[in-house]
Amino acid sequence: MNKNRLVALGLILFVLLFTFPVVMNLGKSVAKTQPPAMLQDQKAMQELADKLGVKNIDEFRERHKQVLAEWKDIVVRDGKRVYVTKDGREIPISLQNLASQPQYCNDCHDYAGIEKPNCWTCHVEPKGGAGK
Amino acid sequence: MKKPLSISRRTLLKATGAAALGIIPAGTLLVRAAGKPHPKALQAKNWAMVINAKLCPPGCRICQEACHKVHNVPNMPDPKQDVKWIWPESYNSAFPYETHPYTDQANEKRAYPVLCNHCENPSCVRVCPTKATFQRPDGVVMMDYHRCIGCRFCMAACPYGARSFNFKDPRPHIPQLNPAYPTRTPGVVEKCNFCDERLAVGQMPACMEACPAKAILFGDLNDPASPVRQALASNVTLQRKTKLGTRPKVFYIV
Ligand code: SF4
């Protein structure tokens, strides 16, 4: 009898501990399933893609991290300031210009459930609406 | 009875060798996405600096103020955590191998602006385990702060103390943030970059532009017509700690 009680207690504790992260995030995740409004703003999203030198927002989503790494190498390693895209467009390399609306970055990262970009621990965050 | 191996040791080694040879060139051929210099970019084969310390007014720190302002160099309250890119040094500590008990008193009292020498044979670059610090083809010894892991080997290797470590977040100690240049983050080493970010858009180094005495010259060491070469040809100049073999590219008229 005693043993059964202990086992039951153990099981309850185990289930509680094991599901703790899920339970804690329950309310929040529901709120986050709403995509941020700016994703619907076709024009703004295309502008963003143009500033990075990619075709559209889909390519932006897939490749922005790689392009940013390329930008860094071009600037730091080669001392150049212009990014030449695959289709021959020339984009001035500027994080300040690309992320002139830093809340875009934060909202989208938030929606995707990933960390906020850590660019701004060194690069000075543009004024266009300080991130949350 | 044991079954003999179907492949001999020799064939296996040959095959792995061939495979490795095939993989390595494929990896090294990965080229960086295309970039283009800014239309106004200043370019040189080998950037160098001449400082005419005779012209430095006593107590002047204008070059340091200008440099530290544009590069977001913090004023750390604890002198042990000092961060500096260019700073005044006494003759004896700037040129310890060029002194004797009878050197010119006036000379010894003067302050000499010292900074990273952008050595032609940089010991910092040799020891960096991540290639965060590297020598560019134009002679600038650069840092890629994204790659710095804060091991501080470069600080131990640099014989000039030209490198500083960020023990704490520098942001709160920067009097006036310059949004055009990043700050650093705790755990990263920093130093003078010969104003790479200014050269890239057609501006000369900030210290040189700020100097009211025109004591700092900057130019291409490979170009006999450059102001740097002309100053070197018509003056007796010193480099710091030459016997260590780093081949500094900051020269001093003393
Ligand atoms: S002065 Fe020091 S930090 Fe600068 S290149 Fe030479 S060894 Fe490296």
Side-chain angles (χ1 to χ4, degrees):
Chain A
M1 188 62 199
N2 261 343
K3 257 188 199 163
N4 279 354
R5 240 195 248 160
L6 266 181
V7 169
L9 195 70
L11 271 177
I12 291 170
L13 263 178
F14 172 77
V15 170
L16 274 181
L17 276 177
F18 203 75
T19 54
F20 165 74
V22 180
V23 175
M24 285 306 285
N25 277 319
L26 220 51
K28 287 181 207 159
S29 57
V30 171
K32 270 189 209 162
T33 44
Q34 283 306 316
M38 90 239 173
L39 277 181
Q40 313 304 325
D41 186 345
Q42 300 285 333
K43 209 176 126 245
M45 290 303 103
Q46 189 54 46
E47 260 170 37
L48 204 55
D50 290 342
K51 280 190 204 168
L52 188 73
V54 293
K55 258 192 282 116
N56 49 34
I57 199 65
D58 290 328
E59 197 184 343
F60 185 101
R61 198 174 289 134
E62 259 165 47
R63 265 180 30 91
H64 67 286
K65 195 68 229 267
Q66 281 97 309
V67 176
L68 286 175
E70 285 169 2
W71 278 17
K72 191 260 295 179
D73 281 341
I74 291 170
V75 168
V76 177
R77 304 265 154 183
D78 307 339
K80 296 174 177 167
R81 289 293 186 280
V82 179
Y83 177 62
V84 183
T85 63
K86 274 175 277 169
D87 52 8
R89 273 176 304 144
E90 293 180 3
I91 313 280
I93 298 181
S94 164
L95 196 60
Q96 301 282 321
N97 179 38
L98 174 72
S100 56
Q101 311 270 15
Q103 84 274 15
Y104 283 2
C105 316
N106 289 342
D107 287 355
C108 209
H109 276 228
D110 214 26
Y111 172 55
I114 45 176
E115 261 176 70
K116 284 201 184 83
N118 60 2
C119 312
W120 316 121
T121 55
C122 289
H123 295 272
V124 180
E125 184 161 341
K127 288 263 149 41
K132 289 181 262 180
Chain B
M1 202 186 115
K2 241 165 89 191
K3 216 172 122 203
L5 282 176
S6 58
I7 175 170
S8 79
R9 181 190 174 85
R10 193 182 162 83
T11 346
L12 179 73
L13 281 177
K14 266 196 201 157
T16 27
L21 278 179
I23 291 163
I24 293 161
T28 48
L29 276 178
L30 282 176
V31 271
R32 204 167 294 153
K36 243 180 95 172
H38 188 278
K40 287 206 211 112
L42 298 174
Q43 283 166 322
K45 296 237 162 57
N46 200 2
W47 288 114
M49 184 177 274
V50 175
I51 301 181
N52 188 346
K54 281 184 189 162
L55 299 179
C56 286
C60 177
R61 287 203 176 225
I62 293 176
C63 57
Q64 185 184 33
E65 279 158 18
C67 164
H68 287 191
K69 199 173 157 197
V70 292
H71 296 116
N72 290 327
V73 178
N75 284 327
M76 298 310 278
D78 181 352
K80 280 190 190 150
Q81 304 181 350
D82 212 13
V83 179
K84 52 200 189 324
W85 285 28
I86 178 169
W87 70 101
E89 200 73 89
S90 71
Y91 182 84
N92 285 358
S93 28
F95 306 100
Y97 308 141
E98 264 73 41
T99 65
H100 50 73
Y102 315 106
T103 31
D104 179 5
Q105 285 293 306
N107 222 358
E108 285 196 1
K109 288 214 187 75
R110 214 178 274 139
Y112 294 81
V114 295
L115 62 154
C116 167
N117 289 286
H118 296 269
C119 306
E120 277 186 82
N121 183 21
S123 43
C124 55
V125 170
R126 280 185 71 161
V127 298
C128 180
T130 62
K131 289 199 178 157
T133 195
F134 56 97
Q135 190 176 35
R136 278 204 327 212
D138 62 359
V140 177
V141 175
M142 270 289 281
M143 275 209 65
D144 180 344
Y145 299 116
H146 294 87
R147 290 187 72 129
C148 179
I149 55 169
C151 72
R152 294 190 274 160
F153 285 7
C154 57
M155 293 179 71
C158 172
Y160 308 98
R163 295 173 162 268
S164 309
F165 185 67
N166 285 280
F167 287 93
K168 285 200 189 120
D169 184 9
R171 277 271 173 108
H173 306 289
I174 300 169
Q176 211 189 335
L177 214 55
N178 169 18
Y181 197 77
T183 68
R184 269 65 63 193
T185 187
V188 165
V189 171
E190 63 181 89
K191 68 164 193 81
C192 157
N193 62 351
F194 256 9
C195 277
D196 133 80
E197 86 286 0
R198 293 168 61 87
L199 297 173
V201 297
Q203 292 171 310
M204 287 301 250
C207 55
M208 172 191 170
E209 272 189 2
C211 177
K214 305 253 173 300
I216 302 178
L217 302 173
F218 192 74
D220 190 346
L221 199 57
N222 288 15
D223 171 11
S226 74
V228 161
R229 279 288 294 277
Q230 283 176 348
L232 291 177
S234 51
N235 291 281
V236 180
T237 44
L238 285 181
Q239 292 155 285
R240 299 181 64 202
K241 303 187 185 178
T242 41
K243 75 171 184 190
L244 299 177
T246 50
R247 312 224 308 275
K249 274 189 314 188
V250 177
F251 299 84
Y252 292 87
I253 303 174
V254 297

